[in-house]
Amino acid sequence: MNAHPGFRTAMKPINLSNAVLARAAEAIPSEADFPAAAPGSDYDTVRRILAYITNNWRQQPTIEAIAEAAGATPTDVHHLFRRWCGLTPKAFLQAITLDNAKGLLASSASILDTSYEVGLSGPGRLHDLFVTHEAMSPGEWKTGGEGLRLSYGFHASPFGEALIVVTERGLAGLGWVSNGQDGGKVVGGRAEALADMMRRWPHADYRFDPQATKPYAGRIFEPERWSPQTPLRVVLIGTDFEVRVWETLLKIPVGCATTYGDVAGHIGKPSAARAVGAAVGKNPISFVVPCHRVIGKSGALTGYHWGLTRKRAILGWEAGQLSGGQAA
């Protein structure tokens, strides 16, 4: 099982202020209020494997070496990937190589200008999870969320423990509890993940309410529940420019990718690729608003707020959903 050139190391974490960290820590209940954690998850092992490959791809590690680094047997690794994403380890790695990423960019500009709403069914519709969305007014964003009630909870996901934030109008935030192996801009525990959301809308009223967020967790991470009869409602809270970028991201189908430049061209700002990159990085609803499908012109995965390890995991997992577990 060979890795591929183009893997990069973790980015520098953002500096969260002591005040917002303290507020987040105070808002999170004690461990006794959370369900007992499972002894481990598939993603825990997948993360170790990807971290090992990222650091050792030049040596072209064998499946035996990778399994040893993950604390598992080659057979265990094979079954883990089949269970987790429906692919063999070899097929998963092929899905996250530079060569495959270049293939995902084919006709990326036209992808954004094509309607996928009519006559498309099956895996092709996975790109938007059957999402319906609305944007809050610029005034609501400018107040920093003042008067806005945000319920949040932490839930298991295929990519680690997810933080889900909702309003009465729909899903407003999705992030993850990340560690150093994930990389990314937010590394730490639940408090750091929540603080990252709080800094976006500092004047909102945050309330721990996992019963309110639990239905969203199932709706987002269980593909069998992706249905046009029960569309996932998403609320976009940002500047006008950011919202236009995020709405464009919703047009990228699973199994495809686009570039920052193509997104800029689609919204009529062809010279604003750098500003588009900043807006993509500020996307508060990861996975659902698929910023992970925006990559560099060369096919390089480039940055990801929640870490390149997780970005690779998401892209590989999506490839498994598309294949229906048929990849060898």
Side-chain angles (χ1 to χ4, degrees):
M1 183 165 64
N2 294 334
H4 194 286
F7 287 93
R8 297 186 179 185
T9 55
M11 66 189 72
K12 183 179 179 180
I14 59 175
N15 290 319
L16 296 165
S17 71
N18 291 334
V20 74
L21 276 172
R23 183 187 178 197
E26 184 178 354
I28 294 176
S30 67
E31 286 292 329
D33 292 311
F34 289 90
S41 70
D42 286 345
Y43 181 68
D44 291 336
T45 305
V46 169
R47 173 166 47 196
R48 290 197 299 273
I49 289 171
L50 286 176
Y52 178 79
I53 292 168
T54 298
N55 293 325
N56 296 278
W57 61 264
R58 289 182 178 84
Q59 287 73 43
Q60 298 288 286
T62 64
I63 179 64
E64 289 77 15
I66 292 170
E68 182 178 358
T73 68
T75 299
D76 288 339
V77 170
H78 180 89
H79 289 311
L80 177 147
F81 275 91
R82 276 294 196 184
R83 179 175 64 248
W84 180 70
C85 68
L87 297 176
T88 64
K90 180 180 178 181
F92 176 86
L93 283 183
Q94 288 173 342
I96 62 170
T97 61
L98 183 62
D99 286 343
N100 186 68
K102 289 178 180 177
L104 299 183
L105 287 174
S107 303
S108 63
S110 63
I111 283 171
L112 299 178
D113 296 319
T114 303
S115 173
Y116 286 84
E117 295 302 318
V118 179
L120 203 61
S121 61
R125 279 303 308 271
L126 301 183
H127 74 285
D128 61 4
L129 302 179
F130 299 106
V131 166
T132 62
H133 71 278
E134 63 175 292
M136 286 194 167
S137 70
E140 289 174 302
W141 174 79
K142 287 179 181 178
T143 63
E146 186 174 356
L148 179 65
R149 177 174 177 175
L150 294 176
S151 300
Y152 71 92
F154 293 88
H155 303 275
S157 87
F159 318 109
E161 187 175 27
L163 166 63
I164 295 177
V165 180
V166 303
T167 74
E168 292 181 351
R169 293 153 66 176
L171 177 70
L174 171 58
W176 281 278
V177 178
S178 298
N179 66 21
Q181 288 181 324
D182 294 303
K185 292 188 175 182
V186 182
V187 176
R190 292 178 179 132
E192 284 76 10
L194 180 58
D196 180 69
M197 290 293 176
M198 284 181 163
R199 71 184 177 86
R200 301 168 188 269
W201 313 298
H203 303 304
D205 176 20
Y206 292 83
R207 302 190 183 185
F208 180 69
D209 189 353
Q211 292 307 307
T213 53
K214 184 177 180 180
Y216 286 87
R219 178 68 183 78
I220 293 166
F221 297 118
E222 298 174 18
E224 62 273 13
R225 294 179 59 182
W226 298 351
S227 165
Q229 282 73 46
T230 55
L232 176 66
R233 293 198 60 81
V234 168
V235 180
L236 303 176
I237 310 173
T239 66
D240 286 342
F241 181 82
E242 288 169 348
V243 168
R244 289 175 66 193
V245 170
W246 301 339
E247 288 175 334
T248 300
L249 300 184
L250 285 169
K251 298 185 178 184
I252 310 171
V254 68
C256 297
T258 193
T259 66
Y260 302 101
D262 283 338
V263 173
H266 179 78
I267 64 174
K269 303 282 187 180
S271 62
R274 186 177 294 275
V276 164
V280 170
K282 292 179 181 178
N283 169 32
I285 313 177
S286 297
F287 185 69
V288 174
V289 179
C291 51
H292 58 278
R293 297 182 200 144
V294 184
I295 60 181
K297 281 186 177 181
S298 67
L301 296 189
T302 65
Y304 185 59
H305 189 79
W306 299 101
L308 287 179
T309 295
R310 185 170 276 112
K311 184 170 185 173
R312 295 184 185 107
I314 293 173
L315 289 171
W317 185 87
E318 287 186 336
Q321 304 310 305
L322 272 182
S323 74
Q326 299 303 308

